[in-house]
């Protein structure tokens, strides 16, 4: 199963390409079935990976599959590959499982929309970028997925761009997230400057981690800034309630299984770095606790159901941050799972 794990990403690519080329020709039913089927096939691959890992001894459940060498400039070596371990497989199951249900629901929900096929192309692209993020074996590839879900959210939140409120909401989500993304870029550059590594398996070796000790707090705080943008924490939570201007299935996809969970996942993936810095961990927990309370009180005063759900999501993400910030990474990721469904 490990040898064909690349199909996890290939199926959404195939789905969006088929709809781009022939979606209008085979009509709405065909476009919806192709897009949904592509995500279902990715889900089946994720199930296969999960069962494969479960059959292995615990110490053998981290596997890196390098697909090709992308960048090779002196010390700067970046591969495109997949890191298959319990965390990434777990996230792949959530993204494809919940994503498939949302695709199926969208077939009926978007039936009367004149840009029906384009919607499903965007939806497949969203799932592809999220899978790229969670399966990445290095910070550069993770950043490609990180920016990809940002672009997909801009396209889908502003899908009904003829409504000024929807167009503004898409721009707001895109711009607010650029603030967090700056933190990600600087953190990755600092990690490479200190250790000469961006590959997770090599970076998280004890001798390499030791080189990060001097800058661990700065790196942790920069990664927290990145996660604050993607996962809508104080003070960068302001884009998420406005994201409700997109079609309702888009709101479900963004708020449950994809974009807003990226920050929590990234902190869990970088857990060995955060373990070096109690200061950064404390800030993650503090931001999470404040957001959980603050967003819940805002929700009490809302009158629109979708905005109530949006602030509820922000609040629940705060609990996830509180979990991972307290060092309970498993608990934080488990709450991510329960909230997604």
């Amino acid at each position: 199963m490990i040898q064909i794990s690349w199909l996890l990403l290939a199926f959404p690519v195939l789905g969006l390409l088929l709809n781009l080329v022939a979606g209008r020709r085979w009509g709405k039913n065909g476009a919806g079935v192709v897009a949904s089927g592509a995500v279902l096939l990715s889900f089946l691959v994720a199930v296969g990976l999960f069962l494969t890992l479960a059959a292995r001894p615990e110490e053998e459940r981290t596997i890196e599959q390098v697909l090709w060498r992308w960048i090779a400039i002196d010390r700067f070596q970046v591969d495109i590959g997949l890191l298959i371990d319990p965390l990434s497989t777990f996230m792949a199951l959530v993204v494809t499982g919940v994503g498939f249900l949302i695709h199926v629901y969208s077939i009926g929900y978007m039936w009367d929309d004149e840009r029906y096929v384009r919607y499903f192309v965007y939806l497949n692209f969203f799932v592809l970028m999220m899978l790229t993020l969670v399966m990445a074996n290095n910070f550069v590839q993770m950043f490609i997925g990180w920016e990809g879900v940002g672009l997909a959210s801009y396209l889908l939140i502003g899908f009904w761009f003829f409504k000024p409120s929807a167009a503004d909401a898409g721009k707001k989500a895109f711009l607010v997230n650029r603030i967090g993304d700056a933190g990600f870029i600087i953190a990755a550059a600092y990690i490479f400057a200190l250790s000469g590594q961006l590959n997770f398996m090599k970076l998280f070796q004890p001798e390499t981690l030791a080189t990060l000790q001097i800058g661990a707090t700065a790196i942790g705080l920069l990664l927290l800034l990145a996660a604050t943008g993607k996962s809508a924490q104080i003070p960068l939570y302001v884009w998420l309630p406005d994201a409700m201007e997109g079609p309702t299935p888009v709101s479900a996809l963004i708020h449950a299984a994809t974009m807003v969970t990226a920050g929590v996942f990234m902190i869990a993936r970088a857990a060995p770095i955060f373990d070096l810095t109690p200061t950064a961990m404390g800030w993650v927990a503090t931001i999470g606790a404040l957001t959980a309370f603050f967003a819940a009180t805002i929700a009490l005063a809302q009158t629109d159901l979708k905005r109530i759900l949006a602030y509820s999501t922000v609040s629940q993400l705060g609990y996830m941050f509180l979990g991972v910030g307290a060092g309970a990474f498993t608990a934080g990721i488990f709450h991510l799972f329960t909230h997604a469904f």
Side-chain angles (χ1 to χ4, degrees):
M1 193 69 207
I2 300 299
Q3 287 70 31
I4 59 169
S5 57
W6 56 272
L7 289 173
L8 193 67
L9 304 181
F11 285 128
V13 172
L14 181 63
L16 70 88
L17 288 178
L18 286 174
N19 272 331
L20 268 176
V21 173
R24 297 187 182 214
R25 205 170 305 156
W26 51 45
K28 292 184 176 180
N29 266 326
V33 168
V34 166
S36 303
V39 180
L40 176 60
L41 290 171
S42 287
F43 174 70
L44 295 177
V45 174
V47 171
L49 292 175
F50 172 79
L51 295 175
T52 300
L53 291 186
R56 288 171 168 248
E58 189 173 340
E59 64 276 5
E60 296 178 18
R61 291 179 184 167
T62 299
I63 305 152
E64 184 179 29
Q65 188 184 31
V66 176
L67 302 179
W68 69 85
R69 171 60 53 85
W70 182 33
I71 301 172
I73 306 172
D74 194 23
R75 287 195 312 151
F76 189 57
Q77 309 283 330
V78 178
D79 298 322
I80 295 296
L82 304 176
L83 179 56
I84 302 163
D85 68 353
L87 177 60
S88 63
T89 307
F90 177 88
M91 287 297 295
L93 284 169
V94 173
V95 171
T96 54
V98 177
F100 169 66
L101 298 177
I102 292 167
H103 273 69
V104 171
Y105 184 77
S106 294
I107 294 174
Y109 188 90
M110 297 297 291
W111 190 260
D112 295 326
D113 197 282
E114 59 185 24
R115 292 177 302 121
Y116 185 87
V117 175
R118 181 184 301 185
Y119 171 84
F120 278 102
V121 170
Y122 290 167
L123 223 54
N124 271 178
F125 178 67
F126 209 143
V127 171
L128 168 65
M129 287 296 104
M130 191 63 193
L131 287 173
T132 301
L133 192 161
V134 301
M135 300 302 297
N137 68 340
N138 61 77
F139 274 110
V140 176
Q141 186 178 331
M142 180 185 276
F143 187 68
I144 294 172
W146 191 268
E147 289 299 295
V149 292
L151 172 59
S153 70
Y154 168 75
L155 295 172
L156 283 167
I157 293 169
F159 186 73
W160 290 325
F161 55 82
F162 45 83
K163 290 168 51 183
S165 57
D168 290 345
K171 286 185 284 188
K172 188 174 186 178
F174 193 80
L175 292 172
V176 170
N177 274 280
R178 297 294 72 75
I179 299 171
D181 296 350
F184 194 116
I185 294 171
I186 298 168
Y190 195 16
I191 289 169
F192 183 77
L194 290 176
S195 68
Q197 285 292 345
L198 288 171
N199 178 281
F200 295 135
M201 289 191 71
K202 295 175 182 175
L203 181 64
F204 297 155
Q205 295 299 317
E207 60 274 14
T208 312
L209 273 176
T211 64
L212 299 181
Q213 187 71 57
I214 189 172
T217 298
I219 292 168
L221 292 176
L222 286 165
L223 291 176
L224 171 60
L225 174 62
T228 298
K230 271 290 181 289
S231 294
Q233 299 294 286
I234 291 174
L236 301 179
Y237 69 92
V238 293
W239 66 269
L240 189 60
D242 290 351
M244 287 299 190
E245 291 294 335
T248 297
V250 169
S251 302
L253 194 63
I254 291 173
H255 293 182
T258 55
M259 184 162 161
V260 296
T261 63
V264 181
F265 165 79
M266 183 267 287
I267 291 175
R269 173 58 78 206
I273 297 174
F274 279 92
D275 283 339
L276 298 174
T277 167
T279 302
M281 290 277 281
W283 274 106
V284 172
T286 301
I287 292 293
L290 290 174
T291 304
F293 176 76
F294 185 65
T297 59
I298 297 176
L300 290 173
Q302 300 300 309
T303 55
D304 179 84
L305 182 59
K306 288 179 72 174
R307 291 183 74 84
I308 294 170
L309 290 171
Y311 282 111
S312 170
T313 295
V314 175
S315 179
Q316 294 303 310
L317 287 162
Y319 285 112
M320 297 173 208
F321 268 64
L322 179 57
V324 295
F329 294 100
T330 303
I333 293 296
F334 180 70
H335 186 46
L336 182 158
F337 168 81
T338 58
H339 183 262
F341 283 92

